[in-house]
Coordinates of all heavy atoms in Angstrom, one line a residue:
L1178 N -0.7 -67.1 -5.1 CA -0.4 -68.5 -5.5 C 0.2 -69.4 -4.4 O -0.1 -70.6 -4.3 CB 0.4 -68.6 -6.8 CG -0.3 -68.1 -8.0 CD1 0.6 -68.3 -9.3 CD2 -1.6 -68.9 -8.3
S1179 N 1.1 -68.8 -3.6 CA 1.8 -69.6 -2.5 C 0.8 -70.1 -1.6 O 1.0 -71.0 -0.8 CB 2.9 -68.8 -1.8 OG 2.4 -67.7 -1.1
L1180 N -0.4 -69.5 -1.4 CA -1.4 -69.8 -0.5 C -2.4 -70.9 -1.1 O -3.1 -71.5 -0.3 CB -2.4 -68.6 -0.1 CG -1.7 -67.4 0.7 CD1 -2.7 -66.4 0.8 CD2 -1.3 -68.0 2.1
S1181 N -2.3 -71.1 -2.4 CA -3.2 -72.0 -3.1 C -3.0 -73.4 -2.7 O -1.8 -73.8 -2.4 CB -3.2 -71.8 -4.6 OG -1.9 -72.2 -5.1
R1182 N -4.0 -74.3 -2.7 CA -3.8 -75.6 -2.3 C -3.8 -76.6 -3.4 O -3.4 -77.7 -3.3 CB -5.0 -76.0 -1.3 CG -5.1 -75.1 -0.1 CD -6.5 -75.1 0.5 NE -7.4 -74.5 -0.5 CZ -8.7 -74.3 -0.2 NH1 -9.2 -74.5 1.0 NH2 -9.5 -73.7 -1.1
N1183 N -4.4 -76.1 -4.6 CA -4.5 -77.1 -5.7 C -4.6 -76.2 -7.0 O -4.7 -75.0 -7.0 CB -5.7 -78.0 -5.5 CG -6.9 -77.2 -5.1 OD1 -7.3 -76.3 -5.8 ND2 -7.6 -77.7 -4.1
N1184 N -4.9 -76.9 -8.1 CA -4.9 -76.2 -9.4 C -6.3 -75.4 -9.4 O -6.3 -74.4 -10.1 CB -4.9 -77.3 -10.6 CG -3.5 -77.6 -10.9 OD1 -2.5 -76.9 -10.7 ND2 -3.3 -78.8 -11.5
K1185 N -7.3 -75.9 -8.8 CA -8.6 -75.2 -8.8 C -8.4 -73.8 -8.2 O -8.9 -72.8 -8.7 CB -9.7 -76.0 -8.1 CG -11.0 -75.4 -8.1 CD -12.0 -76.2 -7.2 CE -13.3 -75.4 -7.2 NZ -14.3 -76.1 -6.3
D1186 N -7.7 -73.8 -7.1 CA -7.4 -72.5 -6.4 C -6.5 -71.6 -7.4 O -6.8 -70.4 -7.6 CB -6.5 -72.7 -5.2 CG -7.4 -73.2 -4.0 OD1 -8.5 -73.4 -4.2 OD2 -6.7 -73.4 -3.0
K1187 N -5.5 -72.2 -8.0 CA -4.6 -71.4 -8.9 C -5.3 -70.8 -10.1 O -5.0 -69.7 -10.5 CB -3.5 -72.3 -9.4 CG -2.5 -72.6 -8.3 CD -1.3 -73.6 -8.7 CE -0.5 -73.8 -7.5 NZ 0.5 -75.0 -7.8
Q1188 N -6.3 -71.5 -10.6 CA -7.0 -71.1 -11.8 C -7.9 -69.8 -11.5 O -8.2 -69.1 -12.4 CB -7.9 -72.2 -12.4 CG -7.0 -73.3 -13.0 CD -7.9 -74.5 -13.4 OE1 -9.1 -74.6 -13.2 NE2 -7.2 -75.4 -14.1
K1189 N -8.1 -69.6 -10.3 CA -9.0 -68.4 -9.9 C -8.1 -67.1 -9.9 O -8.7 -66.0 -9.9 CB -9.5 -68.6 -8.5 CG -10.6 -69.7 -8.4 CD -11.1 -69.9 -7.0 CE -12.2 -71.0 -7.0 NZ -12.9 -70.9 -5.6
V1190 N -6.8 -67.2 -9.9 CA -5.9 -66.1 -9.7 C -5.5 -65.5 -11.1 O -4.9 -66.3 -11.9 CB -4.7 -66.5 -8.8 CG1 -3.9 -65.3 -8.5 CG2 -5.1 -67.1 -7.5
K1191 N -5.6 -64.2 -11.2 CA -5.2 -63.6 -12.5 C -4.6 -62.3 -12.1 O -4.9 -61.6 -11.1 CB -6.4 -63.4 -13.4 CG -7.2 -64.6 -13.8 CD -8.4 -64.3 -14.6 CE -9.0 -65.7 -15.0 NZ -10.1 -65.8 -15.7
M1192 N -3.7 -61.7 -13.0 CA -3.3 -60.3 -13.0 C -4.3 -59.5 -13.5 O -4.8 -59.8 -14.6 CB -2.0 -60.2 -13.8 CG -0.7 -61.0 -13.2 SD 0.0 -60.2 -11.9 CE 0.8 -58.8 -12.8
I1193 N -4.7 -58.5 -12.8 CA -5.8 -57.7 -13.2 C -5.7 -56.9 -14.5 O -6.5 -56.9 -15.4 CB -6.3 -56.6 -12.0 CG1 -7.6 -56.1 -12.5 CG2 -5.2 -55.6 -11.9 CD1 -8.3 -55.3 -11.3
L1194 N -4.5 -56.5 -14.8 CA -4.2 -55.8 -16.1 C -4.2 -56.8 -17.3 O -4.2 -56.3 -18.4 CB -3.0 -54.9 -16.0 CG -3.1 -53.7 -15.1 CD1 -1.8 -52.9 -15.1 CD2 -4.3 -52.9 -15.3
K1195 N -4.2 -58.1 -17.1 CA -4.3 -59.0 -18.2 C -5.7 -58.8 -18.9 O -5.8 -59.2 -20.0 CB -4.2 -60.5 -17.7 CG -2.8 -60.9 -17.5 CD -2.2 -61.4 -18.9 CE -0.9 -62.1 -18.7 NZ -0.1 -62.2 -19.8
E1196 N -6.7 -58.3 -18.1 CA -8.0 -58.1 -18.7 C -8.0 -57.0 -19.7 O -8.6 -57.1 -20.8 CB -8.9 -57.7 -17.6 CG -9.2 -58.8 -16.6 CD -10.0 -60.0 -17.1 OE1 -10.5 -60.0 -18.3 OE2 -10.0 -61.0 -16.4
S1197 N -7.3 -55.9 -19.5 CA -7.2 -54.8 -20.4 C -6.0 -55.0 -21.4 O -6.0 -54.2 -22.4 CB -7.1 -53.5 -19.7 OG -6.2 -53.5 -18.8
N1198 N -5.1 -55.8 -21.1 CA -3.8 -55.9 -21.9 C -3.4 -57.4 -21.9 O -2.5 -57.8 -21.3 CB -2.6 -55.2 -21.2 CG -2.9 -53.7 -21.2 OD1 -2.7 -52.9 -22.2 ND2 -3.4 -53.1 -20.1
P1199 N -4.3 -58.3 -22.5 CA -4.1 -59.7 -22.5 C -2.8 -60.3 -23.1 O -2.4 -61.4 -22.6 CB -5.3 -60.2 -23.3 CG -5.8 -59.1 -24.1 CD -5.4 -57.9 -23.4
T1200 N -2.2 -59.5 -23.9 CA -0.9 -60.1 -24.4 C 0.4 -59.6 -23.6 O 1.5 -59.9 -23.9 CB -0.6 -59.6 -25.8 OG1 -0.7 -58.2 -25.9 CG2 -1.8 -60.2 -26.7
K1201 N 0.2 -58.7 -22.6 CA 1.2 -58.3 -21.8 C 1.1 -58.6 -20.3 O 0.0 -59.1 -19.9 CB 1.3 -56.7 -21.9 CG 1.4 -56.2 -23.3 CD 1.4 -54.7 -23.3 CE 1.6 -54.2 -24.7 NZ 1.3 -52.7 -24.8
N1202 N 2.2 -58.7 -19.6 CA 2.2 -59.1 -18.2 C 2.5 -57.8 -17.5 O 3.6 -57.6 -16.9 CB 3.2 -60.1 -18.0 CG 3.0 -60.8 -16.7 OD1 1.8 -60.9 -16.2 ND2 4.0 -61.3 -16.0
L1203 N 1.5 -56.9 -17.3 CA 1.7 -55.6 -16.7 C 1.2 -55.6 -15.2 O 0.3 -56.4 -14.9 CB 0.8 -54.6 -17.5 CG 1.2 -54.4 -18.9 CD1 0.2 -53.4 -19.6 CD2 2.6 -53.9 -19.1
S1204 N 1.9 -54.8 -14.4 CA 1.4 -54.7 -13.0 C 0.8 -53.2 -12.8 O 1.3 -52.3 -13.4 CB 2.7 -54.8 -12.2 OG 3.1 -56.1 -12.1
V1205 N -0.1 -53.1 -11.8 CA -0.5 -51.9 -11.5 C 0.6 -51.4 -10.5 O 0.8 -51.9 -9.5 CB -1.8 -52.0 -10.7 CG1 -2.4 -50.6 -10.2 CG2 -3.0 -52.6 -11.6
P1206 N 1.2 -50.2 -10.8 CA 2.2 -49.6 -9.9 C 1.7 -49.2 -8.6 O 0.5 -48.7 -8.4 CB 2.7 -48.4 -10.7 CG 1.6 -48.0 -11.6 CD 0.9 -49.3 -11.9
D1207 N 2.5 -49.4 -7.6 CA 2.1 -49.1 -6.1 C 2.2 -47.6 -6.0 O 3.3 -47.1 -6.1 CB 2.9 -49.8 -5.1 CG 2.3 -49.7 -3.8 OD1 1.6 -48.8 -3.4 OD2 2.7 -50.5 -2.9
P1208 N 1.2 -46.8 -5.8 CA 1.3 -45.4 -5.8 C 1.6 -44.8 -4.4 O 1.8 -43.6 -4.1 CB -0.1 -44.8 -6.2 CG -1.0 -46.0 -5.6 CD -0.2 -47.2 -5.8
Y1209 N 1.8 -45.7 -3.4 CA 1.8 -45.3 -2.0 C 2.9 -44.3 -1.7 O 2.7 -43.3 -1.0 CB 2.1 -46.6 -1.1 CG 2.1 -46.4 0.4 CD1 0.9 -46.1 1.0 CD2 3.2 -46.2 1.1 CE1 0.8 -45.8 2.4 CE2 3.2 -45.9 2.5 CZ 2.0 -45.7 3.1 OH 2.0 -45.4 4.5
Y1210 N 4.1 -44.5 -2.3 CA 5.2 -43.5 -2.0 C 5.3 -42.4 -3.0 O 6.2 -41.6 -3.0 CB 6.6 -44.3 -2.0 CG 6.6 -45.2 -0.7 CD1 6.5 -46.6 -0.9 CD2 6.8 -44.7 0.5 CE1 6.5 -47.4 0.2 CE2 6.8 -45.5 1.6 CZ 6.7 -46.9 1.5 OH 6.6 -47.7 2.5
G1211 N 4.4 -42.3 -3.9 CA 4.4 -41.3 -4.9 C 3.4 -40.2 -4.5 O 2.8 -40.1 -3.4
G1212 N 3.2 -39.2 -5.5 CA 2.3 -38.1 -5.3 C 0.8 -38.5 -5.7 O 0.5 -39.7 -6.1
K1213 N -0.1 -37.5 -5.7 CA -1.4 -37.8 -6.1 C -1.7 -38.2 -7.5 O -2.6 -38.9 -7.9 CB -2.3 -36.5 -5.9 CG -2.5 -36.1 -4.5 CD -3.5 -35.0 -4.3 CE -3.7 -34.6 -2.9 NZ -4.6 -33.6 -2.7
S1214 N -0.7 -37.8 -8.5 CA -0.9 -38.2 -9.8 C -0.7 -39.7 -10.0 O -1.4 -40.4 -10.9 CB 0.1 -37.5 -10.7 OG 1.5 -38.0 -10.4

Side-chain angles (χ1 to χ4, degrees):
L1178 288 181
S1179 74
L1180 294 174
S1181 65
R1182 302 160 294 191
N1183 51 47
N1184 279 337
K1185 183 180 176 191
D1186 286 356
K1187 288 177 183 168
Q1188 289 173 355
K1189 294 180 178 191
V1190 185
K1191 298 176 182 180
M1192 293 279 287
I1193 193 164
L1194 293 185
K1195 278 279 191 194
E1196 294 295 346
S1197 51
N1198 299 276
T1200 61
K1201 298 178 183 171
N1202 198 26
L1203 301 175
S1204 290
V1205 178
D1207 189 343
Y1209 187 76
Y1210 293 106
K1213 286 186 180 183
S1214 66

